């Protein structure tokens, strides 16, 4: 992993999730902002993570409700790192 890959992934998440209306009480409220709905995949470098993985592999790192996109993205990025996505 490079820091660039993590930064690129974070930028992709920010581009999408900052357009949601906050607070967000539960994950389904984010579906309307996803470019490909539940099929949306975020990619950076050789890292690829589907939005459906957020609810399966990374659910334990999320703590709804979220007041801001930054808080949501911080938790997702922490989960990605903890689960070795950038290894």
């Amino acid at each position: 992993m490079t820091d660039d890959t993590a930064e690129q992934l974070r930028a992709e998440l920010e581009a999408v999730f900052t357009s949601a209306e906050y607070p967000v009480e539960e994950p389904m409220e984010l579906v309307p902002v996803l470019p490909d709905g539940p099929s949306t995949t975020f990619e950076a470098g050789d890292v690829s993570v589907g939005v459906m993985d957020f609810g399966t592999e990374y659910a334990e790192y999320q703590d709804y409700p979220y007041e801001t996109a930054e808080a949501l993205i911080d938790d997702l990025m922490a989960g990605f790192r903890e689960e070795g996505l950038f290894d």
Side-chain angles (χ1 to χ4, degrees):
M1 173 208 73
T2 67
D3 287 338
D4 285 346
T5 301
E7 288 174 23
Q8 289 171 359
L9 185 59
R10 183 178 191 89
E12 283 194 33
L13 294 169
E14 288 172 350
V16 171
F17 292 128
T18 55
S19 64
E21 289 187 31
Y22 291 85
V24 172
E25 300 292 325
E26 53 102 11
M28 291 305 292
E29 292 179 29
L30 296 169
V31 172
V33 301
L34 298 172
D36 294 321
S39 299
T40 300
T41 299
F42 295 93
E43 297 179 354
D46 61 352
V47 170
S48 177
V49 60
V51 76
M52 295 301 286
D53 294 333
F54 293 2
T56 56
E57 295 180 43
Y58 307 104
E60 69 185 88
Y61 301 99
Q62 299 166 57
D63 188 21
Y64 285 87
Y66 283 101
E67 296 295 323
T68 66
E70 183 178 0
L72 169 62
I73 294 164
D74 285 348
D75 284 354
L76 287 170
M77 293 298 292
F80 297 159
R81 284 188 172 90
E82 188 68 27
E83 294 297 322
L85 185 65
F86 300 115
D87 291 343

